[in-house]
């Protein structure tokens, strides 16, 4: 099984990505959750353009990708799971859950450190919220993420199959929970005990700082619940909330590729770090 997955890993990942992308895109057409501010044509060219740029960059800088690091770790005996005798299914499950937790920690970190928030705000500056938002990251953040992923795989000794499963889940869940799609409320309540739903993650893309500093999960919802960063709904409701970042509403800046690439180097974000601001309900604004 592992040998088959390793031999066909790029095709398997691409197949899942395009399959889930097509499914969610059709779902958005059939049952959209919110009315868009901009057309798909205005946003998709830039959002998908940065995906293409990041894909090329990763292949150039990390030709073996995360799976190659898992193979190397197994061959050299690096990492915790490569030095303990565990049933394969247990090692697989532990690795997937552990990597998901690291991604959650990384997400908190890029909100907590102002210099890293400069990079991550490219993701948040999208004026609308749909499946392409889940692929919209600055190239420098992608490089940082790959470094963290490599370190995690090495220290953990994650099995090759676990890395492939995790990469597929991360891509599929990010596409799903960034979808502008409508789920029945009872189904949403059940699902969000296990996986991040679109309504749950959309809160994280609110312009309000205390709301965007919540619901950091991409796959599993457990970490936000355990560490007190879970928020059920935005104050203004799913249809009334504003998406994006205060002060960055010009489509030329946030909906075009050159503006997105330059965004981390503009302005002052030193006061944004997580937990430095709270919502003042009486005045309807955030403060330091």
């Amino acid at each position: 099984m592992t040998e088959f997955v390793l031999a066909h890993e790029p095709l398997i990942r691409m197949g899942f990505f395009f399959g889930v992308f097509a499914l969610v895109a059709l779902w958005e057409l059939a049952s959209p959750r919110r009315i868009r501010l901009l057309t798909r044509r205005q946003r998709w060219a830039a959002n998908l353009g940065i995906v293409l740029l990041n894909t090329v960059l990763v292949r150039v800088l990390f030709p073996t990708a995360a799976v190659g690091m898992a193979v190397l770790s197994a061959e050299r005996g690096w990492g915790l799971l490569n030095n303990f005798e565990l049933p394969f299914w247990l090692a697989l499950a532990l690795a997937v859950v552990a990597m998901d937790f690291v991604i959650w920690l990384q997400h908190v970190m890029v909100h907590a450190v102002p210099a890293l928030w400069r990079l991550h705000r490219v993701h948040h500056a999208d004026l609308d919220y749909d499946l392409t938002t889940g692929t919209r990251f600055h190239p420098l953040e992608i490089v940082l993420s790959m470094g963290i992923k490599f370190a995690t795989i090495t220290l953990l000794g994650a099995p090759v199959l676990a890395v492939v499963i995790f990469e597929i889940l991360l891509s599929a869940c990010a596409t799903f929970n960034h979808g502008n799609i409508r789920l029945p409320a009872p189904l949403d309540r059940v699902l969000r005990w296990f996986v991040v739903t679109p309504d749950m993650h959309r809160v994280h893309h609110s312009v309000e700082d205390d709301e965007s500093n919540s619901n950091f999960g991409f796959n599993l919802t457990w970490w936000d619940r355990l560490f007190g960063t879970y928020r059920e709904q935005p104050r203004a409701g799913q249809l009334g909330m504003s998406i994006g970042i205060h002060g960055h509403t010009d489509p030329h800046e946030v909906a075009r590729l050159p503006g997105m690439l330059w965004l981390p180097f503009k302005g002052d974000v030193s006061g944004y770090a997580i937990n430095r601001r709270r919502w003042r309900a009486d005045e309807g604004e955030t403060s330091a």
Side-chain angles (χ1 to χ4, degrees), residues 178-195:
H178 284 89
N180 182 29
I181 56 180
R182 187 187 307 274
L183 285 175
L187 178 60
D188 180 87
R189 283 194 296 270
V190 172
L191 284 179
R192 66 168 62 194
W193 280 102
F194 307 99
V195 296

Side-chain angles (χ1 to χ4, degrees), residues 73 78-81 150-158:
S73 297
W78 294 341
L80 188 65
L81 295 176
F150 276 30
T152 302
I153 292 168
T154 303
L155 293 172
L156 188 61

Side-chain angles (χ1 to χ4, degrees), residues 215-261:
N215 297 2
F216 292 97
F218 276 109
N219 299 348
L220 302 174
T221 64
W222 308 336
W223 317 123
D224 285 306
R225 293 181 184 275
L226 283 172
F227 293 99
T229 53
Y230 173 72
R231 190 184 190 108
E232 186 174 355
Q233 297 292 342
R235 273 180 297 273
Q238 291 289 338
L239 302 184
M241 69 181 290
S242 295
I243 301 292
I245 302 174
H246 286 301
H248 296 280
T249 58
D250 181 2
H252 290 85
E253 178 190 35
V254 300
R256 291 187 177 180
L257 188 56
M260 290 162 59
L261 294 175

Side-chain angles (χ1 to χ4, degrees), residues 32 57 63 131 141 146 201 222 249 259 261:
L57 181 66
L131 75 168
E141 183 175 2
M146 287 300 296
H201 191 69
W222 308 336
T249 58
L261 294 175

